Amino acid sequence: MKFLTLNTHSLAEKNYHQKLLYLVSFILREQPDIIAFQEVNQSHAGERIPLKSLKGFYPCEENTVIKKDNHAYNVVKLLSESGLLYYWSWINIKLGYGKYDEGIAVLSKNKITEAKSVLISKINDYNNWKTRKIIGIRNKEIPDVWFYSVHFGWWNDSEEPFQEQWKLMCSQLDNKNQIWLMGDFNNPAEIRNEGYDMIAESGWYDSYNLAAEKDNGITVEKIIDGWNDKISTENKIRIDQIWCNRKNQVKSSRILFNGINEPVVSDHYGIMIEL
């Protein structure tokens, strides 16, 4: 099985349409079983699409509204037009850049049987950019496994510190199931005694460490939004990660969309692991 995660920075990217095509082309070739996307945007003022007309869409929250330029919708639509159907779910979380409905999504090659969203921040305000939710799905093929797309806050944030979000999330997950957390953790693996170590000490396993074959794992190589005052241009960090609450055999972990393995499509690089 293959799992892919990417903070897409969608719609905010220059040459967005071309980058969308690069991403879709890769998915068509590799066909990951599960895809987790973060910063999945749509225009707040965009045109609505009737939910009944959406192929493969599984609503997670009541009153979900999908707009025509929704990034996940565009990916799934282009894949479908090429003969590859993905099932998907998306939730809207907050207003991004003053003009986007910023959400988070999970795509599955197999039919989704259940989806849930989890509020992991104390703040729950669409107009407050520090509001955080995660979305999880399970599918028909492996019903005992949950796959979550996650996007956490920062370790030392005065209002919404990572450690509180992590504790809140853990209290709401059913650890009787196997759970995969895929996405932007905003806690570099290189920094000790902060978020990364907290996850590991909570009994979770980083797929990068388990992988028999792997590269440098770096997912951010330049200053990006949210990290302007936290890193210099010399820093390279691994903030996008894939964790599981069970120890699995991982064949490989590789970085994608970094200009070497596939064209750059976002301000983050992607990760794909194979079990």
Side-chain angles (χ1 to χ4, degrees), residues 194-210:
E194 291 190 1
Y196 182 89
D197 286 348
M198 184 177 188
I199 300 170
E201 289 165 6
S202 300
W204 291 74
Y205 298 90
D206 182 358
S207 62
Y208 179 79
N209 292 336
L210 297 176

Side-chain angles (χ1 to χ4, degrees), residues 227-242:
W227 285 90
N228 307 64
D229 58 345
K230 298 177 178 66
I231 61 173
S232 68
T233 53
E234 292 78 25
N235 288 115
K236 297 180 180 182
I237 53 179
R238 185 164 71 87
I239 59 174
D240 302 88
Q241 301 150 17
I242 299 176

Side-chain angles (χ1 to χ4, degrees), residues 53-73:
S53 69
L54 298 176
K55 284 188 176 181
F57 183 69
Y58 191 104
C60 179
E61 296 183 342
E62 292 184 3
N63 303 316
T64 297
V65 174
I66 303 293
K67 310 287 180 60
K68 273 195 171 181
D69 62 355
N70 181 288
H71 179 63
Y73 165 71

